[in-house]
């Protein structure tokens, strides 16, 4: 029986029932949560390995739901990763700062890349990893940070894509936009 308040997805042999929630300006969206769901995270990471561009030297993500996914991708691929934060930490040294309008929250957020972490991107081929890419705002802000740090974006990978982001995104699955 179909429940109008959830969306069923399958990643590998694993099935998840994602609740449909209201999210800022995006309206009703399926809530993808990797944090706290090791089986879902591991299944997605295993399937996403093949999506990483071969020239990738560093993975980049933002400290949110995509962090455990990126960690598992790094562990399986041997490619190191760097995390951007959504809050300044007192220990940060010369951070790069990037504003990003958040479609899911309906407000502008600030991304912080610690200076030593930015240095790890210099001269590197960087793939941006996210859990879901919809409007592409966060992905574009991450790309600006990569460029400002002296790296080159080689691709965007996500477990799920929703709609048509402004950049080419390689994803495991597309999520519906009409919920």
């Amino acid at each position: 029986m179909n429940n109008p308040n959830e969306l069923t997805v399958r990643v590998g042999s694993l099935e998840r029932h994602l609740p449909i929630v209201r999210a800022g300006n995006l309206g009703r969206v399926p809530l993808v949560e990797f944090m706290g769901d090791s089986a879902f995270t591991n299944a997605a990471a295993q399937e996403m390995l093949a999506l990483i561009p071969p020239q990738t030297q560093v993975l980049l993500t933002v400290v949110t739901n995509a962090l455990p996914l990126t960690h598992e991708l790094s562990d399986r691929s041997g490619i190191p990763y760097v995390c951007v934060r959504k809050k300044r930490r007192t220990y940060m040294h010369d951070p790069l700062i990037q504003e990003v309008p958040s479609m899911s929250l309906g407000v502008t957020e600030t991304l912080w890349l610690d200076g030593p972490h930015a240095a790890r991107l210099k001269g590197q081929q960087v793939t941006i990893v996210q859990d879901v890419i919809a409007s592409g705002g966060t992905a574009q802000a991450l790309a600006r940070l990569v460029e400002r740090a002296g790296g080159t974006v080689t691709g965007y990978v996500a477990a799920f894509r929703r709609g048509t982001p402004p950049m080419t995104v390689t994803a495991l699955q597309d999520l519906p936009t009409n919920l």
Side-chain angles (χ1 to χ4, degrees):
M1 183 165 127
N2 287 344
N3 181 344
N5 294 314
E6 67 181 28
L7 175 71
T8 302
V9 296
R10 179 171 290 283
V11 176
S13 62
L14 191 67
E15 185 174 275
R16 284 293 181 266
H17 304 284
L18 308 178
I20 306 298
V21 299
R22 287 216 167 272
N25 298 332
L26 296 176
R28 290 172 41 90
V29 300
L31 179 62
V32 175
E33 290 197 278
F34 289 110
M35 293 182 31
D37 190 340
S38 297
F40 191 37
T41 302
N42 286 318
Q46 189 61 42
E47 297 291 317
M48 288 176 67
L49 278 175
L51 306 182
I52 299 172
Q55 68 273 30
T56 301
Q57 296 171 299
V58 178
L59 303 171
L60 179 70
T61 196
V62 65
V63 176
T64 56
N65 194 39
L67 178 57
L69 181 63
T70 306
H71 179 87
E72 291 300 330
L73 280 170
S74 174
D75 194 45
R76 286 169 169 75
S77 68
I79 300 170
Y81 70 97
V82 170
C83 290
V84 172
R85 295 186 178 268
K86 289 187 175 186
K87 290 185 179 181
R88 182 177 181 133
R89 301 295 179 197
T90 57
Y91 54 78
M92 287 184 169
H93 179 71
D94 291 329
L96 295 180
I97 304 163
Q98 185 65 53
E99 298 291 319
V100 56
S102 173
M103 292 299 289
S104 57
L105 296 176
V107 297
T108 298
E109 293 184 296
T110 303
L111 300 180
W112 301 82
L113 178 59
D114 196 4
H117 295 176
R120 292 173 48 199
L121 301 179
K122 187 173 184 173
Q124 300 296 298
Q125 301 290 316
V126 180
T127 294
I128 293 171
V129 180
Q130 291 187 264
D131 53 342
V132 179
I133 296 182
S135 69
T138 300
Q140 289 174 320
L142 290 170
R144 285 192 291 280
L145 285 170
V146 169
E147 292 163 5
R148 290 174 56 206
T152 303
V153 174
T154 61
Y156 301 86
V157 297
F160 300 96
R161 176 181 44 229
R162 185 170 185 269
T164 309
M167 74 283 295
T168 301
V169 176
T170 307
L172 289 178
Q173 293 180 33
D174 286 310
L175 296 173
T177 56
N178 56 344
L179 297 173

